[in-house]
Amino acid sequence: MLSETDDPLVNGKIPSTEGRDPAYFSYYAMLQHQVVFKHSRTQNMLQDTVRTSTYRSAILLNGPLCFHDKLVLDVGAGSGILSYFAVQAGAQKVYAVEASQMAEKMRKLVEAANTAESEALAKNAFLKDKIEVIQAKIEDPDLPIPKVDTIISEPIGVLLIHERMLESYLYARDTFLKPGGTLFPSTGSIFLAPFSDAALWSETMGKARFWEQPSFYGVDLSALYSDAKDEMFGMPVVGSFDPRTLIAQANPGGYVVDFYTVTLEELQDMTIPFIWQASYTGIVHGIAGWFDLHFSPPPSVPTGNTIAMSTGPAAERTHWQQVRFLLKEPLAVNAGQTIQGWMRCVVNEMRSYTIEAEIMVGEGQLTNPTIPLTSIYNLDFNRRRGKWRLHEQTYNYNYYPQSDNLFRPEYNCLYEPEHPLDTTVVVENNFVEDNQFII
C-alpha cells in the first residue's frame, strides 16, 4: 500500500503512469484478453455482447453523418473491432492506434484483405486499403495522423475511470479532432448509491480478523490487525450484485463527464457530490458505483442518433460489472432519512485512482474533500469516511439474477416504512472550509 507521503490525496502531485505502461500493454497484447472464456464468469472485451453490440449500433446508426467518407481515428484499437465497424459504416480511412503487440495481430488481419489477388479470394474484403495500423501510444510525437472527423475508442475501466485510458482519449481529442468533430463515446455518467450487504461485510471483516490472532503457531499477529483491516476494507469489490440491496436510488442522471468538454485537470481530480433518501430502514455497509455511456453526435450533427448503454446492477451484465466500496464501520439509517456526502477521485501512478468518500446520515455539514482523512471522523455517530485504491480490486461473483416474485426487502435486512415517504430531497453542496467543528 502507498504511504501517506506518496498519496496523491495528500501531496497534491499528479502521478505519471510510465512505470506501469509495459505491464498494462503486455496484458492487452494477449488474444485471451480480447475475448472471454465462457467458463470464467469474467466477461471481457469482444464477447461482452452489451459492449460490442452497443458500439456497433452507435457507429452504424450514425454512419451516414459521422462515418461515411470520413477520416476516423481509433484510439487504443486493441483487436481493431471498432475500426472494422467504422469501415462497415463507410469510413474513408481509419487510423488504428494500438501500443501493445496486439497491433501486429490486427495488422495481420488487415493485410489479409490488402494483399489478396482478388476480392473474391480476400478475407474481409471490405477492409481493403481502409485501415492503417499504427503501433504507438497516441501521445508519441510525430505520428502520421492528420486531423480527423471522428474519434472512436473504448477507453473505459471500472467506475468509468480505472486504467486512466480516458486521458489518452482527451489527448487525441485535443490533438487530432477537427472542430465540430465526433467523439464516440461522447459522455459517461457515474452513479453512486448506498447498499446493504452483511454477508460481504462479514466476509471482509473475517479476512482482517485472521491477523488478530494472539498465537498463530506461537506467533502473535495482532500488531498487524489494524493494517490488515485498512487493507481489506480499502480494496474495492468488483462484481455484479443484487439491485435490491440498494438502500436508496442513485441520483438521476449521475455525475456526467462530457468527453467533448472535460479537461485533463478535471478528469485527474474530481469530486462527486451525492444526496439520497433512504427507502428502507437498515445498515449502510458501503457505496456502490457503476456508469452509463452515451454515444451522441456533436451539436453540428443535430439529426444524429444517441445510443446509450448502462452497467448498472439492474441492467444486462457487462465485463465492467459494478464496484462496491465497503465502510470499515457500517452506518445505520432510518427510512426517509437523508444520506449525503461526496466521493473524491484522484489519479495515482498505478494507472488508476485513489478514492476517498464521506457519507453522513441526517443533517449536518460535510467537510471539505481536500482535508486529509483522520480517525476523528469515525467517532462521529452519523458520519463515516473511507479510503480505497481502485487498482487494488478484489472480486465477488456470488450473485446470480433470479426471477423471484416472492422476494421481500426484509430478506436483505431492509425494512419498509409503515407510511409512504416524502420523496422531496434538496441537493446542496454544503462543504465546510475546515474541520474545526469536529470536537
Side-chain angles (χ1 to χ4, degrees):
M1 296 180 68
L2 298 176
S3 68
E4 186 174 84
T5 56
D6 294 328
D7 194 328
L9 284 169
V10 175
N11 63 23
K13 297 178 181 177
I14 299 298
S16 167
T17 64
E18 288 296 325
R20 296 290 298 173
D21 282 349
Y24 174 77
F25 291 119
S26 294
Y27 176 90
Y28 285 106
M30 301 175 69
L31 286 169
Q32 64 178 316
H33 297 307
Q34 299 293 330
V35 297
V36 60
F37 291 103
K38 293 184 179 179
H39 302 292
S40 71
R41 291 194 212 161
T42 305
Q43 293 186 330
N44 206 345
M45 310 297 281
L46 292 178
Q47 287 188 351
D48 180 342
T49 56
V50 176
R51 162 199 180 267
T52 305
S53 63
T54 299
Y55 268 89
R56 186 171 188 268
S57 295
I59 291 170
L60 295 185
L61 289 176
N62 288 285
L65 296 174
C66 301
F67 290 89
H68 186 70
D69 286 338
K70 305 290 187 183
L71 297 181
V72 178
L73 171 60
D74 184 356
V75 181
S79 66
I81 189 66
L82 303 187
S83 296
Y84 312 146
F85 291 162
V87 174
Q88 290 176 341
Q92 175 186 332
K93 186 169 185 178
V94 180
Y95 297 88
V97 180
E98 171 57 43
S100 79
Q101 292 300 316
M102 182 56 65
E104 293 298 324
K105 300 176 177 69
M106 192 194 333
R107 186 175 287 118
K108 184 176 182 180
L109 191 151
V110 171
E111 288 179 353
N114 292 344
T115 59
E117 294 182 2
S118 69
E119 187 171 309
L121 296 176
K123 296 180 179 179
N124 302 311
F126 70 96
L127 296 178
K128 183 175 176 62
D129 300 326
K130 290 290 187 177
I131 297 177
E132 181 175 340
V133 180
I134 301 171
Q135 186 170 359
K137 298 179 187 178
I138 193 66
E139 297 87 355
D140 288 348
D142 303 321
L143 295 181
I145 303 172
K147 292 286 185 178
V148 299
D149 303 286
T150 300
I151 296 178
I152 53 177
S153 184
E154 200 271 73
I156 310 302
V158 171
L159 198 66
L160 189 74
I161 55 178
H162 176 55
E163 294 185 342
R164 292 178 63 180
M165 183 63 187
L166 281 170
E167 295 176 30
S168 296
Y169 191 41
L170 298 192
Y171 178 89
R173 176 199 68 187
D174 295 341
T175 306
F176 298 109
L177 188 64
K178 294 178 182 178
T182 300
L183 289 173
F184 275 7
S186 53
T187 62
S189 300
I190 298 175
F191 293 86
L192 303 174
F195 74 91
S196 183
D197 192 331
L200 177 63
W201 191 92
S202 296
E203 177 186 336
T204 304
M205 190 64 180
K207 295 175 183 178
R209 287 204 185 279
F210 172 87
W211 299 95
E212 200 176 28
Q213 299 180 72
S215 183
F216 180 73
Y217 293 97
V219 178
D220 187 344
L221 302 178
S222 60
L224 299 178
Y225 169 66
S226 179
D227 290 341
K229 188 175 180 182
D230 287 344
E231 181 176 320
M232 301 304 174
F233 282 92
M235 299 173 70
V237 182
V238 174
S240 298
F241 66 86
D242 189 342
R244 298 172 298 191
T245 62
L246 295 178
I247 293 180
Q249 296 302 307
N251 292 137
Y255 179 84
V256 178
V257 181
D258 187 338
F259 302 137
Y260 282 111
T261 60
V262 67
T263 66
L264 182 63
E265 293 74 20
E266 290 170 338
L267 190 66
Q268 290 177 333
D269 185 350
M270 57 187 184
T271 298
I272 304 171
F274 54 78
I275 184 164
W276 309 304
Q277 184 181 46
S279 301
Y280 305 100
T281 294
I283 303 297
V284 178
H285 290 104
I287 302 171
W290 62 91
F291 64 89
D292 287 359
L293 281 182
H294 290 85
F295 300 79
S296 301
S300 59
V301 188
T303 59
N305 296 287
T306 296
I307 305 298
M309 179 194 76
S310 176
T311 67
E316 187 176 351
R317 288 192 181 189
T318 72
H319 78 281
W320 291 291
Q321 305 182 82
Q322 297 92 46
V323 61
R324 287 178 286 177
F325 303 92
L326 285 164
L327 299 171
K328 285 193 290 185
E329 182 183 354
L331 189 59
V333 62
N334 291 318
Q337 281 190 296
T338 297
I339 309 169
Q340 59 180 320
W342 48 260
M343 177 177 283
R344 185 185 180 202
C345 308
V346 182
V347 294
N348 61 36
E349 76 284 3
M350 305 299 285
R351 293 198 71 94
S352 194
Y353 281 72
T354 300
I355 292 177
E356 191 169 330
E358 178 168 296
I359 181 171
M360 180 174 64
V361 173
E363 297 181 356
Q365 288 186 307
L366 298 171
T367 58
N368 191 304
T370 61
I371 297 174
L373 172 65
T374 61
S375 60
I376 192 68
Y377 293 108
N378 283 340
L379 299 179
D380 200 341
F381 77 95
N382 68 335
R383 183 194 310 265
R384 301 290 184 269
R385 223 169 150 173
K387 189 177 189 178
W388 307 267
R389 293 178 175 85
L390 193 52
H391 58 280
E392 294 181 352
Q393 299 165 8
T394 186
Y395 304 93
N396 183 282
Y397 301 130
N398 293 333
Y399 173 60
Y400 299 91
Q402 296 179 353
S403 177
D404 186 357
N405 295 327
L406 299 178
F407 177 83
R408 298 292 183 267
E410 56 268 24
Y411 300 167
N412 283 335
C413 299
L414 298 175
Y415 306 99
E416 294 177 304
E418 185 175 357
H419 303 291
L421 298 175
D422 178 3
T423 58
T424 303
V425 176
V426 179
V427 179
E428 293 182 354
N429 297 336
N430 55 347
F431 302 144
V432 296
E433 294 303 322
D434 55 55
N435 60 359
Q436 295 179 356
F437 69 97
I438 300 292
I439 59 173

